[in-house]
Amino acid sequence: MASVGALLMLLPVAWTCSPQKADYVMVSCFPNAIIANVPECPYGWEIEQLSLGGVCYSGIHSPGYYRFIIPDLTPRNHSYCGTQSEYMPGKDPKYIFYNSIVSNDTSLTVRNQPVNYTFSCMYRAAYLVNNAVFSQRVATVYVNNGSLGTFRSQLSMNVFTNSKFLYAKDAPYVIDTSEIGSEVFIGIEAKGLSNRFKVVISNCWATPTPYSTDRKRWSLIINSCSSDNTVTIFENAKDSRSMFKFNSFRFQRLEKVSTVWLHCEVQVCDGERLVCQPSPCNIRSQSADVDPSGGILTAEFHIKGFGSSNNGHIAGTSLLMLLLVLINSCSDLINGSRM
């Protein structure tokens, strides 16, 4: 029996997945979530054997990767799945979040090389009453590619002046009520990465509140396709910048709402490992049931009635002048009667 046991130990290991070299990790630090991607089957480890912070076996198997998400960055839940946070006060306060993806084999013998992907995300933050307010238009993407080095990119969503996408407007973005229906040009760009990485816009929608989960919403892009003919996608998933336009609008029966929030779910795709280009829209469904695979960037638009406020000012001035004329006329009549 002992000889049979020794023979079994010498038999080649039957891998349930194809082992990959584990020297690659891509971490996207979005305003409201951190997404870490590691190659599928690193050194033979399956997804149920990898955990976030050694606590949560919550990995998602996406094409070519295992994806782990930290969906809550509020300080009150700083320990989500072993996540640690550090607040750095000062003139430019920052928040740093730490976690790791580690292997864990509960079997009697360990046959795979252990893995430990430690990562962190740093945010500029205004710290007020236990809430971290991060820039909603900007994310940071880190790529550690082993011997090829570490790359850092800033992923940002901006509003541009026209379809040439040369000049970005300053925030906050303001739309006059008289300009409702005018074209709004949006560009989402990753700076600092090589050409192998592509920016992919998966979904975009607008809400009357800052919350991307608000059920009262208007979809603009669904599964990388325009929702209707008021939305035009110029470029998507071809290089480090994706661009589209839509016609501005406001929500009906919400006259007191003077702000519209635009949310876009985006991701950075490694073109050397995956096919980043979405299939043509005419051969696939635009179902509202989507599989969120990226993070969310948000831009805020203020809707103001410049024209209506000016008209009110002019009307008030005219009324005042008419009142003065009537007072003078009455004074002349009174003085004339006395004479």
Side-chain angles (χ1 to χ4, degrees):
M1 291 294 292
S3 60
V4 174
L7 178 62
L8 290 175
M9 292 295 290
L10 293 174
L11 289 176
V13 177
W15 300 101
T16 55
C17 61
S18 179
Q20 305 289 328
K21 191 176 180 181
D23 64 346
Y24 180 99
V25 60
M26 181 165 64
V27 179
S28 299
C29 307
F30 283 94
N32 297 310
I34 298 174
I35 302 174
N37 292 282
V38 299
E40 61 183 350
C41 201
Y43 290 131
W45 294 98
E46 298 185 63
I47 192 167
E48 62 269 14
Q49 297 174 310
L50 299 176
S51 64
L52 182 61
V55 179
C56 300
Y57 293 83
S58 55
I60 302 170
H61 194 178
S62 58
Y65 292 96
Y66 294 158
R67 186 170 73 245
F68 293 83
I69 301 175
I70 302 174
D72 190 354
L73 301 183
T74 54
R76 65 188 63 183
N77 195 21
H78 66 279
S79 59
Y80 177 88
C81 288
T83 304
Q84 300 297 317
S85 65
E86 178 183 356
Y87 176 62
M88 302 175 62
K91 293 183 179 179
D92 186 16
K94 294 181 177 65
Y95 247 107
I96 305 179
F97 294 85
Y98 307 88
N99 210 326
S100 59
I101 300 168
V102 297
S103 57
N104 182 23
D105 194 341
T106 57
S107 62
L108 181 61
T109 58
V110 177
R111 299 175 183 271
N112 304 339
Q113 177 178 333
V115 295
N116 185 332
Y117 299 96
T118 300
F119 58 89
S120 64
C121 286
M122 178 183 292
Y123 297 86
R124 282 184 167 183
Y127 186 65
L128 298 171
V129 196
N130 280 338
N131 287 292
V133 182
F134 305 133
S135 173
Q136 300 295 298
R137 295 186 302 106
V138 179
T140 305
V141 179
Y142 297 93
V143 178
N144 188 340
N145 200 15
S147 59
L148 296 180
T150 301
F151 307 94
R152 178 182 181 273
S153 171
Q154 178 174 286
L155 182 66
S156 60
M157 178 165 65
N158 293 292
V159 180
F160 288 81
T161 55
N162 53 43
S163 60
K164 293 183 178 180
F165 293 92
L166 296 177
Y167 304 103
K169 294 184 177 181
D170 294 329
Y173 310 120
V174 179
I175 299 176
D176 184 20
T177 53
S178 64
E179 298 175 344
I180 293 295
S182 62
E183 294 179 331
V184 178
F185 300 91
I186 303 295
I188 302 177
E189 183 177 15
K191 295 182 177 180
L193 292 178
S194 64
N195 294 332
R196 64 184 276 183
F197 296 97
K198 320 297 181 185
V199 171
V200 183
I201 302 176
S202 301
N203 302 283
C204 288
W205 64 99
T207 63
T209 68
Y211 307 107
S212 61
T213 55
D214 195 329
R215 300 183 66 178
K216 184 172 294 182
R217 61 172 60 193
W218 181 258
S219 294
L220 300 174
I221 297 176
I222 303 174
N223 290 329
S224 299
C225 296
S226 304
S227 61
D228 56 34
N229 58 8
T230 66
V231 180
T232 301
I233 301 175
F234 296 106
E235 297 283 350
N236 192 19
K238 291 185 178 180
D239 53 30
S240 61
R241 183 166 71 167
S242 293
M243 302 157 288
F244 70 96
K245 73 172 182 178
F246 66 93
N247 292 347
S248 59
F249 61 91
R250 66 179 305 169
F251 287 92
Q252 288 187 2
R253 293 183 292 275
L254 293 174
E255 289 79 6
K256 294 183 179 180
V257 176
S258 59
T259 308
V260 173
W261 281 266
L262 172 67
H263 314 276
C264 284
E265 180 200 346
V266 298
Q267 59 179 310
V268 175
C269 176
D270 189 342
E272 292 188 5
R273 291 174 173 264
L274 300 174
V275 177
C276 301
Q277 190 71 30
S279 56
C281 293
N282 57 358
I283 63 173
R284 60 192 171 97
S285 170
Q286 287 188 339
S287 170
D289 297 329
V290 297
D291 175 25
S293 57
I296 297 174
L297 298 178
T298 298
E300 183 178 351
F301 293 85
H302 297 277
I303 301 174
K304 295 185 177 181
F306 294 125
S308 60
S309 61
N310 288 339
N311 291 338
H313 176 70
I314 294 172
T317 303
S318 300
L319 182 61
L320 178 60
M321 293 178 64
L322 177 60
L323 183 61
L324 291 174
V325 170
L326 289 174
I327 292 174
N328 289 333
S329 299
C330 291
S331 298
D332 292 341
L333 289 173
I334 293 172
N335 292 333
S337 62
R338 288 178 178 176
M339 294 176 63

